[in-house]
């Protein structure tokens, strides 16, 4: 049976080239970068080289602005909680974010609300895109931080980050972006985009899990999240994940080098898949069609539930994802799908397919062979589908 | 979260799918907002449930519990069917993940709803026999009857 991994927004396969780069640091060069002897200083060198690579790839002015972390969630927590703690002392207790951020951002904001912060959750409209003008209008004298994701993890919509960055810089408000999904897929330049803090994680672009980074523009001082040793200039304690850091830098280098080519290939595949799936009766595409990540497809099929669709796809060898309540372990379907105005019963029937360079046109064919059949089968015994049909 | 082999078997090959055109009783529970609706059809001859079919909108566990519930009451007497519990459905499926237990409750309630409909059609008040049907066991603040 054909196997199609189409859940690259969840995680990606580690690239063999990246693994090769990492191997020495998992074996012979195992030293602690803080140690003085040879294998320690070699490890330290590797970390610093990776820092420089990452800085260059995102357009940072100095390598020292890159801080390695355990991943996207830690970077988001550090950026938001750190800035909040610093600026609270100056009486700034307002944060602006959007309704469809990743939970690493939303739940962090919720935690700050309990500490007395006020949070504005901006609308993302039907197309899943924040309006820069809304950010401008929401900024107050006591606004500490604006945090808006670069691209959404479920529906892939790309946000007007440069515009928002400009607005924030002019208003002298710090701007953080969770670029976990966008990194390696869209060109990012933290200086041009006026970004003050940026989160990224390696495993979304064929790097290893458990390693991420936070870009902190020079002069910005978020409070320390993890206290301890003097690693990362005393701002993020813990012995460095040397192999992970080396892998992150190598994976990002490859992702950025191959970005244009990949975008062209994936956009074609994406559009063909969207057009094919839209032929299914009562289906819809979620999020803006053009302004989305080249590998992201998010659709709803009325009258069926997402988890059963996923399980059937899995039986056919296809790995994908859904925003249904049943897959989230929650009672409500995805907050992202609700934020773009979908009613619960439609949001339950969602399917996210996310491609990477490792996918092919044959995968699109195989998905187009299977999804319509499965949707038809599940609808054949769905009382909800009976109702939808009888009402029309 | 992992499903048992039995759950996957009943999900991949659900038993008794469909409708019974001249059903003696039809019951429906759940709602689309929660993400699961079960509709059960029973055919009663004498005191025996000779046929049982279902239609379900819902997750893998909702489909598997519907399928198993129909298997458990088919060929049984009404009295036996009235004793069907969600626990029995779960045990027959070799267990369910904790977040999916409500699916087995829904399956039990769907059978009871079909039996209630049967009694109502016979001109008998079902509540003293079958009890009150819970539409679902969620508390999702949506304002439906089960939330209050």
């Amino acid at each position: 049976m054909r196997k199609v991994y189409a859940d690259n927004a969840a995680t990606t396969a580690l690239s063999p080239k990246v693994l090769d780069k990492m191997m020495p640091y998992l074996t012979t060069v195992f030293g602690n970068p803080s140690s003085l002897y040879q294998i320690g200083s070699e490890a330290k060198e590797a970390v610093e080289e990776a820092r420089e690579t990452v800085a260059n790839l995102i357009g940072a002015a100095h390598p020292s602005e890159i801080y390695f972390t355990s991943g996207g969630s830690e970077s988001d927590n550090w950026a938001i909680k750190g800035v909040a703690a610093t600026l609270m002392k100056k009486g700034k207790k307002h944060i602006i974010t959007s309704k469809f951020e990743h939970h690493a951002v939303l739940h962090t904001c919720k935690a700050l609300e309990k500490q007395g912060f006020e949070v504005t959750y901006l609308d993302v409209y039907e197309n899943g895109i924040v309006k820069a003008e809304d950010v401008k209008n929401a900024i107050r004298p006591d606004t500490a931080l604006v945090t808006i994701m670069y691209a959404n993890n479920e529906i892939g919509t790309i946000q007007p980050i440069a515009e928002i960055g400009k607005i924030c810089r002019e208003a002298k408000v710090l701007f953080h972006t969770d670029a976990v999904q966008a990194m390696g897929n869209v060109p990012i330049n933290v200086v041009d985009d006026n970004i003050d803090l940026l989160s990224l994680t390696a495993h979304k672009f064929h790097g290893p899990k458990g390693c991420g980074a936070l870009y902190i523009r020079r002069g910005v001082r978020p409070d320390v999240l993890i206290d301890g040793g003097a690693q990362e200039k005393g701002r993020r304690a813990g012995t460095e994940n040397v192999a992970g850091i080396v892998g992150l830098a190598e994976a990002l280098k490859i992702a950025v080098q191959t970005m244009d080519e990949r975008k062209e290939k994936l956009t074609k595949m994406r559009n063909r898949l969207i057009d094919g799936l839209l032929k299914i009766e009562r289906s819809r595409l979620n999020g803006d069609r053009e302004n989305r990540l080249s590998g992201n497809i998010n659709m709803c099929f009325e009258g069926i539930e997402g988890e059963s669709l996923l399980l059937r796809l899995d039986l056919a060898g296809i790995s994908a994802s859904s925003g249904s309540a049943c897959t989230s372990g929650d009672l409500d379907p995805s907050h992202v799908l609700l934020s773009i105005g979908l009613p619960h019963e439609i949001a339950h029937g969602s399917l996210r397919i996310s491609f990477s360079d490792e996918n092919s046109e044959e995968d699109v064919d195989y998905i187009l062979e299977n999804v319509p059949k499965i949707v038809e089968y599940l609808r054949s015994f769905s009382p909800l589908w009976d109702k939808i049909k009888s009402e029309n | 979260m992992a499903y048992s082999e039995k759950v996957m078997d009943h999900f991949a090959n659900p038993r008794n799918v469909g409708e019974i055109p001249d059903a003696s009783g039809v019951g429906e529970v759940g709602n689309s907002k929660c993400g699961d609706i079960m509709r059960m059809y029973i055919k009663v001859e004498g005191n025996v449930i000779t046929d049982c079919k279902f239609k379900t909108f819902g997750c893998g566990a909702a489909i598997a519990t519907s399928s198993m519930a129909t298997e458990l009451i088919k060929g049984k007497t009404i009295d036996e069917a009235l004793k069907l519990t969600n626990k029995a459905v779960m045990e027959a499926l070799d267990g369910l993940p904790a977040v999916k237990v409500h699916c087995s409750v829904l399956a039990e309630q769907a059978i009871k709803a079909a039996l209630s409909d049967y009694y109502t059609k016979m001109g008998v008040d079902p509540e003293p026999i079958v009890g009150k049907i819970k539409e679902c066991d969620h508390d999702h603040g949506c304002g439906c009857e089960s939330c209050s």
Side-chain angles (χ1 to χ4, degrees), chain B residues 129-144:
Chain B
I129 309 163
V130 185
K132 218 171 156 56
I133 305 298
K134 287 202 292 179
E135 203 204 44
C136 69
D137 72 335
H138 290 160
D139 182 12
H140 36 57
C142 74
C144 78

Side-chain angles (χ1 to χ4, degrees), chain A residues 303-305 307-308 311-312 315 325-327 329 331-333 344-345 348 377-378 380-384 386-387, chain B residues 1 3 8 11-12 14 17 19 28 32-35 37 39 54-61 63 99-100 138-139:
Chain A
I304 62 158
E305 194 280 328
E307 192 209 73
S308 33
L311 288 171
R312 286 252 156 212
L315 292 172
C326 284
T327 52
L331 292 178
D332 284 323
H344 278 63
E345 52 270 34
H348 283 302
Y377 172 72
L378 291 172
S380 74
F381 61 94
S382 162
L384 180 59
D386 290 349
K387 271 175 210 163
Chain B
M1 188 191 76
Y3 285 134
M8 280 312 292
F11 168 73
V17 171
E19 298 175 10
E28 186 176 301
S32 58
K33 198 173 173 186
C34 297
I37 304 175
R39 195 192 292 156
F54 80 93
K55 279 189 139 184
T56 289
F57 157 76
C59 64
I63 291 168
V99 292
K100 300 292 186 183
H138 290 160
D139 182 12

Side-chain angles (χ1 to χ4, degrees), chain A residues 105-350:
Chain A
V105 168
L106 281 184
H107 290 173
T108 300
C109 288
K110 291 275 172 219
L112 288 171
E113 278 179 347
K114 282 182 195 154
Q115 292 174 31
F117 274 81
E118 218 182 296
V119 181
T120 301
Y121 299 92
L122 297 178
D123 223 323
V124 296
Y125 303 94
E126 204 190 331
N127 63 353
I129 297 175
V130 172
K131 286 188 180 152
E133 195 190 315
D134 289 353
V135 176
K136 192 173 188 175
N137 294 335
I139 292 176
R140 316 190 310 210
D142 66 338
T143 302
L145 181 73
V146 171
T147 172
I148 304 287
M149 66 200 329
Y150 214 113
N152 184 267
N153 50 311
E154 288 186 35
I155 58 175
T157 49
I158 300 166
Q159 307 303 308
I161 292 303
E163 261 181 88
I164 296 170
K166 191 162 171 268
I167 288 166
C168 293
R169 191 60 57 86
E170 280 167 7
K172 295 191 172 66
V173 172
L174 291 178
F175 176 41
H176 165 252
T177 185
D178 173 348
V180 161
Q181 292 289 333
M183 190 54 66
N185 291 314
V186 293
I188 294 177
N189 185 300
V190 288
V191 172
D192 293 351
D193 291 353
N194 287 306
I195 294 164
D196 295 302
L197 304 109
L198 176 144
S199 305
L200 65 99
T201 192
H203 75 103
K204 305 287 191 192
F205 44 82
H206 304 283
K209 291 169 187 62
C211 189
L214 179 64
Y215 159 79
I216 308 175
R217 189 171 59 82
R218 197 175 263 188
V220 178
R221 307 280 305 175
D223 261 18
V224 171
L225 185 71
I226 298 182
D227 288 299
Q231 293 89 354
E232 304 295 289
K233 290 185 287 161
R235 293 171 78 176
R236 198 278 185 184
T239 298
E240 297 86 342
N241 175 2
V242 181
I245 289 167
V246 168
L248 183 155
E250 181 66 14
L252 187 55
K253 195 167 84 186
I254 298 170
V256 171
Q257 278 167 358
T258 56
M259 190 188 295
D260 294 343
E261 209 181 312
R262 186 172 64 251
K263 190 184 168 192
E264 203 191 320
K265 172 188 155 185
L266 295 188
T267 303
K268 264 188 218 154
M269 285 166 55
R270 178 194 77 190
N271 291 345
R272 189 161 76 86
L273 184 54
I274 290 172
D275 289 335
L277 292 177
L278 280 174
K279 287 185 188 144
I280 296 174
E281 198 184 348
R282 285 188 171 264
S283 61
R284 55 161 288 162
L285 174 71
N286 299 315
D288 196 86
R289 184 176 169 129
E290 299 305 324
N291 210 354
R292 67 193 301 137
L293 294 174
S294 52
N296 176 288
I297 294 105
N298 192 307
M299 311 269 305
C300 279
F301 306 103
E302 287 184 40
I304 62 158
E305 194 280 328
E307 192 209 73
S308 33
L309 174 59
L310 288 193
L311 288 171
R312 286 252 156 212
L313 284 170
D314 188 30
L315 292 172
I318 300 168
S319 309
S321 163
S322 169
S324 82
C326 284
T327 52
S328 68
D330 208 339
L331 292 178
D332 284 323
S334 136
H335 69 284
V336 174
L337 298 178
L338 298 180
S339 77
I340 59 166
L342 292 189
H344 278 63
E345 52 270 34
I346 293 179
H348 283 302
S350 79

